[in-house]
Amino acid sequence: MTALLDVRDLTVRFALPKPSFFAERPHLEAVRQVSFTLEAGHALGIVGESGSGKTTTAMAAIRLTRAAGGQVLFEGQDLLDLDDEQMRQRRRDVQLIFQDPYSSLNPRARVVDIVREPMDLMEIGTPEERLERVRELFALVGLRPDQLNLFPHQFSGGQRQRISIARALTTNPKLLVCDEPVSALDVAIQAQILNLLAELKEKLGLSYLFISHDLGVVRHVCDDVAVMYLGKIVESGPVQALFEAPQHPYTQALLAAAPSLARRKSKGYVRPLKVSGDPPSPINPPPGCAFADRCPKAQDVCRQTPPVLQPVAGTQAACHFPGPADV
Amino acid sequence: MSALLEIDDLRVTFGTRYGEVTALDSVSLHVDAGETLGVVGESGCGKSITALSVMGLIPQPPGKIAGGSIRLNGEELIGANPARLRGLRGGDVAMIFQEPMTSLNPVFTVGDQIAEAIMLHQNVDKAQALKDAIALLDRVGIPSPDARARDYPHQLSGGMRQRVMIAMAVSCRPKVLIADEPTTALDVTVQAQIFDLLNEIQRDFGAAIVLITHDMGAISEMADRVAVMYAGRVIEEASADDVLDYPQHPYARGLIDCIPALGRDDHRLAEIPGVVPPLHLLGAGCAFAERCAHKQDRCGLEKPLLAAHGHHPVACHGIEEGRI
């Protein structure tokens, strides 16, 4: 077992406006001491609601957002220690697919140029070889060669996401960061892209860092999952264990909240676990467990001491009272 | 007995640069008091246009209601005079929109906005309307409603804003509540809260709900009856259990099979090949024919009609002929 990406105690801080001229600048900790490991050839899903820090974690892990502390070991090398040129060279191993295929492609460039650009920047091969590679990638992601010279607006959402994937694959990356790659797409198209991603993972031995709020999608694509809440991982583990026997009350609430075909109105279904309210603000996080205010199991200790991630029955959970949901 | 809201053979067209395209074609739906009708389909299938037609909010031009009828309690809404429609909108028929941030006015407090709706439809003064607004905010589960009523929309979270929208929609005890993708912009835990709230409100007020969504999971949890739409037509309509357990139309089957479900580990998702055809390129045949594995000559030539073939109403030649 080799870890492709080993993230340790990653912390990201954003500066907030000063309340007054002489006051000290306040900071918001968007990601608080997050650690995870991604094995080569695996897919790690990061799930959480908006504002939980899932995207910031991934962006900091590939140095697109500056980290305030921690280590990111990519094949044993700390990415946070590299100088700019070394990092630029490393970028060919790490590529990215964005959520919105409408704004992540240059509307004025032909798609052949969009897909070729990473090779131009990295100075890979001769122009003819680059074009050949683009053709190859087009076939790989299921686009036709006669579409090479079209502009992005001439494609549907699903096709545009295929173009993004082709662009991400040009430099033969080892790690692909997918930031909500299918949430802007219709379900029928979503299935096409998810199948493509699964196929590419198998065929090219890719590893994915897969960010999504959709638990069904994560279950389908990923081998391991980390659940984030207010900048921290509250539970992580292999997909099957985490989905079938979640230990953290937040994970249980998330699973109970996700709409599912298994629950029918006609059968008088009532949600087993309800959470009320919204997550607390990250500007002034509560001293104890961030979920305490919405948690049905919360006790005094939860509001005072932050729980640490520790192994519980098949997964790792950061909770003072982990255990199966009592229904 | 006629239903509370009946849409019959509705046809809506839009003038575009490709000429006139048909956005809705022979759409017939009905919903009764206390019932939830789920309308499901991909983007562009006409589900929102259906909702806007009921509300009398189709921009004309470019839009045109080219035929059919919409009856609320037996009263014809198409061609009704604008004053009467204004009275119905927000009164007997209310709508919850997808994006609560853009559908609330940013420069008025939420209390004022709810009070405005109440004053428009009920004969009360401003003080009473504000009091009612606060009671409604309390009803939809907003903590400390007195204080929140004085907040502006930007001070509230997405879930809170959607609750405000719901408070506004139910302020005049509508008979029909149309919810157009009410939770698309929200997180799942908040979405669950909103669904629970809608169900509670239906129990209390006995309103008919038309839930427009692309999410089969939401349909399963919320709907009594389902209409599946594709390219401006209803292609299958039956009880939620029938559609979810025994989907007949190849498109409905595909839509259900392609959902990555929480409870099952399938190696590869079933996918529907291709994309929805643009409306101006719809031919004479079935709009789904090009993506359908069961396509035969007749599918390309003749539009199938919604009719009960065996199990429940479905618009498909293959099922009519008994070969699917």
Side-chain angles (χ1 to χ4, degrees):
Chain A
M1 280 226 302
T2 46
L4 180 71
L5 186 71
D6 188 1
V7 172
R8 295 178 187 167
D9 291 327
L10 187 68
T11 300
V12 181
R13 257 183 228 120
F14 293 117
L16 294 170
K18 288 187 187 185
S20 77
F21 187 76
F22 297 106
E24 211 170 300
R25 184 176 288 281
H27 285 270
L28 172 162
E29 280 204 346
V31 177
R32 302 183 286 160
Q33 281 112 45
V34 163
S35 303
F36 59 84
T37 312
L38 171 60
E39 309 289 338
H42 273 224
L44 171 69
I46 303 183
V47 293
E49 298 182 272
S50 42
S52 60
K54 50 193 194 302
T55 299
T56 310
T57 301
M59 294 304 143
I62 58 171
R63 257 182 78 170
L64 286 178
T65 297
R66 187 193 294 269
Q71 279 184 310
V72 178
L73 302 175
F74 185 83
E75 298 184 309
Q77 187 181 32
D78 191 350
L79 293 185
L80 304 182
D81 281 346
L82 298 180
D83 67 32
D84 288 352
E85 182 51 31
Q86 285 170 325
M87 187 61 217
R88 206 179 79 84
Q89 291 306 326
R90 260 299 182 197
R91 293 236 179 260
R92 65 177 76 198
D93 294 331
V94 184
Q95 291 289 329
L96 190 58
I97 304 168
F98 296 94
Q99 169 172 5
D100 183 0
Y102 294 84
S103 58
S104 55
L105 299 175
N106 181 352
R108 297 182 194 199
R110 293 183 190 276
V111 294
V112 57
D113 298 327
I114 293 175
V115 175
R116 206 191 54 230
E117 194 172 9
M119 287 185 284
D120 296 346
L121 293 172
M122 289 291 176
E123 291 164 354
I124 298 169
T126 62
E128 290 74 35
E129 284 167 359
R130 288 176 202 168
L131 191 63
E132 198 35 55
R133 175 86 179 129
V134 173
R135 286 178 191 283
E136 206 178 285
L137 287 166
F138 255 57
L140 190 65
V141 300
L143 293 165
R144 298 192 312 270
D146 61 289
Q147 293 172 318
L148 278 168
N149 284 311
L150 300 180
F151 288 95
H153 73 263
Q154 290 166 298
F155 292 87
S156 67
Q159 287 176 319
R160 279 183 228 209
Q161 208 55 304
R162 289 176 195 267
I163 297 168
S164 298
I165 294 171
R167 173 175 65 181
L169 293 177
T170 41
T171 58
N172 277 320
K174 293 172 182 148
L175 172 66
L176 214 52
V177 176
C178 311
D179 188 1
E180 304 260 14
V182 294
S183 47
L185 306 175
D186 274 319
V187 272
I189 309 298
Q190 201 173 329
Q192 298 173 0
I193 298 295
L194 291 176
N195 281 336
L196 175 65
L197 285 172
E199 224 175 85
L200 292 173
K201 181 175 161 226
E202 202 106 308
K203 219 188 268 177
L204 307 175
L206 290 171
S207 306
Y208 294 145
L209 191 56
F210 195 95
I211 302 161
S212 181
H213 67 278
D214 187 330
L215 298 157
V217 167
V218 167
R219 164 143 210 183
H220 184 76
V221 176
C222 298
D223 304 293
D224 302 289
V225 199
V227 182
M228 288 191 73
Y229 190 77
L230 208 74
K232 284 195 169 188
I233 293 180
V234 294
E235 183 161 6
S236 67
V239 161
Q240 188 140 10
L242 192 126
F243 278 82
E244 267 154 38
Q247 301 294 315
H248 196 286
Y250 178 63
T251 315
Q252 291 157 6
L254 213 53
L255 287 169
S260 154
L261 292 181
R263 294 186 204 120
R264 284 295 160 74
K265 189 179 184 188
S266 63
K267 310 256 184 334
Y269 176 77
V270 196
R271 237 173 272 286
L273 188 65
K274 289 182 191 180
V275 288
S276 50
D278 295 308
S281 155
I283 296 176
N284 230 332
C289 172
F291 189 58
D293 280 340
R294 303 171 78 191
C295 182
K297 286 185 182 172
Q299 314 257 336
D300 285 345
V301 59
C302 302
R303 296 191 181 85
Q304 284 143 18
T305 329
V308 287
L309 210 56
Q310 52 195 354
V312 200
T315 72
Q316 288 199 307
C319 180
H320 292 298
F321 305 101
D326 24 280
V327 181
Chain B
M1 212 196 92
S2 62
L4 177 62
L5 177 72
E6 271 191 299
I7 302 176
D8 203 16
D9 210 15
L10 184 68
R11 194 177 133 86
V12 175
T13 60
F14 280 86
T16 69
R17 59 182 163 135
Y18 305 107
E20 189 166 88
V21 302
T22 307
L24 290 185
D25 197 4
S26 23
V27 168
S28 297
L29 295 169
H30 63 96
V31 61
D32 262 315
E35 184 190 42
T36 302
L37 169 71
V39 179
V40 65
E42 292 179 89
S43 26
C45 72
K47 48 195 200 300
S48 292
I49 295 292
T50 309
L52 292 175
S53 310
V54 174
M55 297 295 287
L57 290 176
I58 297 280
Q60 307 189 41
K64 195 171 104 197
I65 293 188
S69 87
I70 302 173
R71 285 185 304 275
L72 179 70
N73 254 342
E75 180 186 351
E76 179 62 55
L77 299 187
I78 290 173
N81 76 49
R84 176 67 189 135
L85 278 180
R86 261 201 311 278
L88 287 175
R89 269 198 295 267
D92 282 352
V93 191
M95 185 155 172
I96 303 167
F97 293 92
Q98 184 176 125
E99 199 4 281
M101 191 62 214
T102 51
S103 35
L104 290 170
N105 190 330
V107 301
F108 290 100
T109 64
V110 296
D112 278 344
Q113 293 186 55
I114 300 171
E116 184 192 2
I118 297 173
M119 284 193 299
L120 273 174
H121 293 282
Q122 291 165 24
N123 192 16
V124 293
D125 63 5
K126 175 100 192 236
Q128 182 58 41
L130 269 175
K131 222 182 274 171
D132 290 352
I134 290 167
L136 281 163
L137 287 176
D138 192 34
R139 177 66 198 80
V140 297
I142 289 185
S144 44
D146 293 327
R148 291 290 84 75
R150 288 192 293 274
D151 279 348
Y152 290 90
H154 75 266
Q155 292 167 292
L156 303 176
S157 66
M160 293 274 225
R161 281 181 214 138
Q162 200 55 287
R163 282 168 196 269
V164 170
M165 285 295 296
I166 292 173
M168 199 183 292
V170 300
S171 63
C172 299
R173 300 198 160 234
K175 298 195 176 86
V176 179
L177 185 61
I178 300 176
D180 187 1
E181 307 250 8
T183 56
T184 313
L186 305 175
D187 283 320
V188 279
T189 55
V190 182
Q191 166 172 296
Q193 295 169 15
I194 298 291
F195 282 167
D196 291 346
L197 175 65
L198 284 173
N199 276 334
E200 259 175 56
I201 279 176
Q202 183 169 48
R203 271 201 301 276
D204 291 4
F205 296 110
I209 295 182
V210 179
L211 176 72
I212 294 175
T213 179
H214 64 273
D215 186 343
M216 278 290 185
I219 290 288
S220 170
E221 293 190 356
M222 295 285 295
D224 299 301
R225 238 162 10 88
V226 185
V228 184
M229 291 189 70
Y230 188 79
R233 281 170 166 256
V234 177
I235 54 148
E236 181 156 347
E237 197 210 330
S239 74
D241 286 342
D242 280 349
V243 172
L244 294 168
D245 292 336
Y246 311 101
Q248 301 290 304
H249 198 286
Y251 176 67
R253 291 182 194 183
L255 214 51
I256 290 169
D257 287 343
C258 71
I259 306 169
L262 281 178
R264 60 168 201 245
D265 285 302
D266 20 26
H267 188 62
R268 192 182 159 84
L269 291 170
E271 52 181 83
I272 305 176
V275 291
V276 184
L279 291 174
H280 66 275
L281 293 181
L282 288 184
C286 171
F288 187 64
E290 289 309 315
R291 303 172 76 184
C292 185
H294 307 282
K295 187 192 166 192
Q296 290 197 351
D297 291 348
R298 189 180 165 203
C299 302
L301 301 171
E302 185 190 333
K303 280 205 201 303
L305 298 173
L306 192 67
H309 304 300
H311 210 273
H312 54 255
V314 56
C316 176
H317 293 311
I319 288 169
E320 188 189 332
E321 291 161 12
R323 58 183 165 84
I324 299 181

